[in-house]
Each structure stands twice: as structure tokens, then as C-alpha cells.
Amino acid sequence: MLPPDNDGSHPDMRSAAPFSDAERAAVYRAIETRRDVRDEFLPQPVSDETLRRLLAAAHCAPSVGLMQPSRFIVLRNPEQRKTIHDIFVRRNAEAAAMFEGERAERYRSLKLEGILKAPLNVCVVCDRGRDGEAVLGRTHQRDTDVYSTACAVQNFWLAARAEGIGVGWVSIFDPADLVEPLGLPEHVAPVAYLCVGYVDRLFTRPELEARRWAERAPLEDHVFEGRWGARRSD
């Protein structure tokens, strides 16, 4: 017989009361002050105990059908990270060539990774090896495993912010570039390559905004009512 459900009597259920003002403020502070760190890393090592807390937070992320597809590859070896950095340098040159004029010059001036400077690198990958199985919540949207892995990345990032640890997401790779260096089997897809380490300062707004590459749009421009493009006042 299935345990009682949806009536508040399940032994695993608890109160859903809101957080205290201080607790709520701490959550929003982590969200609002999280930054993509590229060049502010300190040499201070991240302890195994602290790393485990970050990984545990990531492992608690929402997971469609409780499929738990996220895996975490921790890279400490300098030679291995040098290999990854060489790949980045090649791909970054390709990316720079896609911009023209002043935009290209500005692109080349940006520091876009901390692969060698950060004490740790963590590659978050998605084990997609359940393609032949019916998974609750994934029956009609096959990419929910990747979405679930992205949630794990966000959890890791917010927990790191609370610990005073910076995280930088390096996305200037072709995912296939990481297969050989990380020994990834065919059913495992790289989702996020993260540079991880303590920082003593952060930009007060996104670095690309501070460096005038782009601007954060007003929230109102991204919220619709009932259908695409409709505003509440329409």
C-alpha cells in the first residue's frame, strides 16, 4: 500500500512556513550578489570539507523524476588544467574572430576564464544514459536531464557565494573538446566547466555590465501576461 499523500499526514512532510526575515534576506543576498568570477581568485585552497558542502548543495538541486543526472568531475592537477586552458585559448581566438571593429577589440580585452588561477576546477556533466527508460516528467521533454543538471550548477554557485567562494563558468568550448581530456563516455554530456576559489572582492553588478559589454534589462521587459508579448496593462 502506498503511504498517505497530499493530506499533510505523510511522515516526511514538514511545515512550509516562510523563513525568518534574516534567513530570507540571506537567500536573496546570495542570489543578488552572485557573480561570474574570472580574475579575482585568491591562492587560498578550498578544503575538502567545504567542497563537499558545495557538492552536497548541488546534489540537492531539483531533479525531474528524481533522475539525478548530475555528476561532478573535480580537477586539481595543474597539467590537466593546462590542457583545458590550451583548448580554451584556441576556441577563444575563434570566438574573437566572430566580432568586428571596436567590439572585437573589447572582446579581446576581457578576461573570460580563471582555469589556471583558480585553485579548483569542477566540470558538471549530465549522465544521459537513461534514454531507453521511461522517466517520470521526462516522457515528453527529453532534455529535462540537462535542465536538472543546470539547476545543480545554480545550487553550487549560490552555496559558494555564501561561503565567500567565487565561481566562473567557462563556456567558450565545444562540448566535444572535453571528451578526451576528461575521459567522458558517449552518454555523458558536459554542461558547465567551473573555476572555483576564494575571492576577496566581487563586482557590484555583472562584470560584463560594469565593463559596458551589455546591460541588464528591466524585469518588466521580460514578464508577459497570459501570452507572449502581452503586458498586464494591455
Side-chain angles (χ1 to χ4, degrees):
M1 179 180 295
L2 293 175
D5 202 6
N6 296 327
D7 62 358
S9 62
H10 195 288
D12 287 338
M13 296 189 75
R14 67 174 68 177
S15 170
F19 289 2
S20 69
D21 289 348
E23 291 169 334
R24 184 170 59 249
V27 172
Y28 281 104
R29 182 186 174 202
I31 293 169
E32 292 164 0
T33 64
R34 178 215 58 81
R35 293 290 176 264
D36 193 356
V37 176
R38 300 178 174 93
D39 198 33
E40 291 75 40
F41 292 108
L42 302 174
Q44 178 183 350
V46 177
S47 70
D48 289 344
E49 179 183 356
T50 302
L51 176 60
R52 181 172 178 78
R53 286 199 297 270
L54 302 184
L55 294 173
H59 191 53
C60 285
S63 172
V64 174
L66 202 59
M67 71 178 90
Q68 303 170 79
S70 305
R71 304 291 185 271
F72 311 94
I73 301 175
V74 180
L75 293 90
R76 295 184 174 90
N77 182 281
E79 288 302 316
Q80 187 182 26
R81 288 193 282 150
K82 175 64 165 56
T83 297
I84 302 295
H85 184 263
D86 290 345
I87 295 170
F88 166 82
V89 170
R90 175 167 55 87
R91 292 302 192 182
N92 194 47
E94 294 173 354
M98 298 177 189
F99 299 95
E100 297 180 352
E102 186 272 338
R103 194 75 163 166
E105 292 179 14
R106 184 173 294 183
Y107 179 91
R108 291 186 178 92
S109 73
L110 296 172
K111 172 74 170 173
L112 297 177
E113 51 76 34
I115 296 170
L116 300 180
K117 188 171 184 179
L120 284 177
N121 292 182
V122 177
C123 188
V124 186
V125 301
C126 178
D127 184 347
R128 311 204 71 186
R130 301 181 66 171
D131 284 346
E133 299 181 35
V135 177
L136 187 154
R138 194 188 177 203
T139 53
H140 294 78
Q141 296 189 42
R142 304 302 295 169
D143 289 340
T144 50
D145 56 346
V146 177
Y147 307 154
S148 296
T149 303
C151 288
V153 174
Q154 181 79 334
N155 269 27
F156 184 97
W157 214 329
L158 294 176
R161 176 65 191 95
E163 298 275 2
I165 292 173
V167 175
W169 185 331
V170 185
S171 59
I172 304 174
F173 293 122
D174 185 313
D177 293 337
L178 301 179
V179 170
E180 183 176 348
L182 301 183
L184 301 180
E186 185 176 352
H187 59 86
V188 172
V191 173
Y193 191 95
L194 306 178
C195 305
V196 181
Y198 284 98
V199 293
D200 62 0
R201 59 196 177 94
L202 290 169
F203 280 89
T204 58
R205 50 183 174 156
E207 183 177 352
L208 291 181
E209 184 176 11
R211 297 193 185 280
R212 300 183 179 180
W213 179 265
E215 293 184 0
R216 187 188 295 277
L219 173 62
E220 291 72 20
D221 292 351
H222 291 250
V223 180
F224 304 134
E225 187 76 16
R227 61 183 177 85
W228 178 266
R231 309 292 179 183
R232 189 163 189 175
S233 58
D234 288 354

